[in-house]
Amino acid sequence: MSEVCALFVSDLHLQPAHPATSTAFFGFLERHARHAQQLYLLGDLFEYWAGDDDIADPFHQQVVEALRAVSDAGVAVYWIAGNRDFLVGARFAEAANLTLLPETWVADIGGQQVVVLHGDAQCTQDIKYMEFRAMVRQPAWQQQFTAMPLAQRKAIVEGLRADSRKEQSGKSYEVMDVTPEAIADVFAQTGASVMIHGHTHRPALHHVGDKLRYVLPDWEPDATPSRGGWIAIDVDGVITRHDLSGAVILND
């Protein structure tokens, strides 16, 4: 087996209420990520992140320490914000010893030009979400929000999550999925031949002309059937999809 150049995960939605997901993630870090050259976390690692002053929470500390152990093993760890944890900042990055990347990032990985992103910015048919996203990504909004007491922020986020669940129940999969036009724009702007993203919870391999778009799964080990996994690129540029057991998923 060729050496693993990079691993990619997203949408774990880590939270104390779902211990099986945390256990699966920590196992992935120990058995797989520590032996790769790079690890890319492509958003929604946490169910939500109310600000870096919440890093002292015991559960958050456990996640930070697990990521730090991967970095200490010599792995370069990269982070792209999701729609749940876009408030992760410099304090978290320093504690976990990882690098914060912009929303869209292109890298040469195993000889492949790969663009990585979370994927929510490409769901352009979901007009209401796009308006909300534009608001909360503004530095002024974030500064005002993080100035509130932590408990108040958490209460606000919990309320927003409840509202979002209600709204999503009335939206079609098509509205909540990425649009072909937005995907084409990313490929055109970056010149990449491979795209890897999460957010939609619809894992698959899509052929976009002569380009490839890989969608990462969300993680839910307790579901029936269980969900979760990652994407790997080896030093020869071979891309494989893996389930939670580490088994290779045959490409579509």
Side-chain angles (χ1 to χ4, degrees):
M1 175 180 282
S2 297
E3 182 181 357
V4 175
C5 188
L7 296 175
F8 307 81
V9 296
S10 72
D11 299 281
L12 286 96
H13 301 276
L14 295 175
Q15 54 186 306
H18 291 177
T21 305
S22 305
T23 298
F25 180 57
F26 295 149
F28 159 76
L29 294 179
E30 178 67 28
R31 292 190 294 272
H32 301 281
R34 284 171 61 96
H35 306 289
Q37 295 178 4
Q38 303 170 348
L39 171 63
Y40 287 83
L41 307 168
L42 300 186
D44 287 3
L45 184 72
F46 294 102
E47 173 66 4
Y48 69 84
W49 189 260
D52 276 7
D53 53 339
D54 200 20
I55 202 168
D57 176 88
F59 178 73
H60 294 161
Q61 275 294 305
Q62 190 178 11
V63 175
V64 166
E65 290 169 5
L67 292 174
R68 183 84 192 203
V70 173
S71 178
D72 289 347
V75 182
V77 182
Y78 300 101
W79 174 284
I80 286 182
N83 54 295
R84 305 287 190 92
D85 48 21
F86 58 86
L87 288 176
V88 160
R91 184 176 173 186
F92 178 91
E94 182 178 3
N97 195 27
L98 56 78
T99 301
L100 301 178
L101 298 178
E103 292 182 14
T104 304
W105 183 258
V106 182
D108 186 315
I109 302 174
Q112 301 258 29
Q113 285 296 110
V114 181
V115 57
V116 291
L117 54 156
H118 180 59
D120 61 320
Q122 285 66 47
C123 298
T124 54
Q125 287 189 37
D126 193 345
I127 303 301
K128 194 166 185 178
Y129 169 70
M130 295 302 289
E131 291 174 347
F132 173 79
R133 186 184 192 279
M135 177 184 72
V136 300
R137 293 301 181 108
Q138 293 176 6
W141 184 94
Q142 294 184 11
Q143 184 177 11
Q144 182 180 21
F145 182 74
T146 55
M148 298 177 184
L150 180 59
Q152 182 181 0
R153 276 178 271 147
K154 287 187 171 184
I156 291 172
V157 172
E158 291 287 359
L160 290 172
R161 293 302 312 133
D163 291 344
S164 177
R165 284 189 289 270
K166 291 178 183 178
E167 288 182 9
Q168 287 178 3
S169 66
K171 293 179 181 178
S172 68
Y173 278 121
E174 288 71 27
V175 167
M176 293 188 291
D177 203 355
V178 300
T179 62
E181 296 81 6
I183 295 301
D185 286 346
V186 174
F187 275 124
Q189 292 165 10
T190 62
S193 57
V194 175
M195 178 186 299
I196 300 175
H197 71 83
H199 180 64
T200 64
H201 300 191
R202 303 176 75 179
L205 165 60
H206 300 273
H207 295 266
V208 185
D210 61 345
K211 305 178 188 304
L212 300 175
R213 176 170 71 92
Y214 288 86
V215 185
L216 289 159
D218 63 317
W219 286 44
E220 191 65 65
D222 284 335
T224 304
S226 65
R227 302 193 305 274
W230 60 89
I231 287 172
I233 302 180
D234 70 18
V235 293
D236 298 317
V238 176
I239 304 174
T240 48
R241 299 158 61 202
H242 300 258
D243 64 21
L244 286 178
S245 72
V248 176
I249 300 170
L250 295 178
N251 288 328
D252 302 330

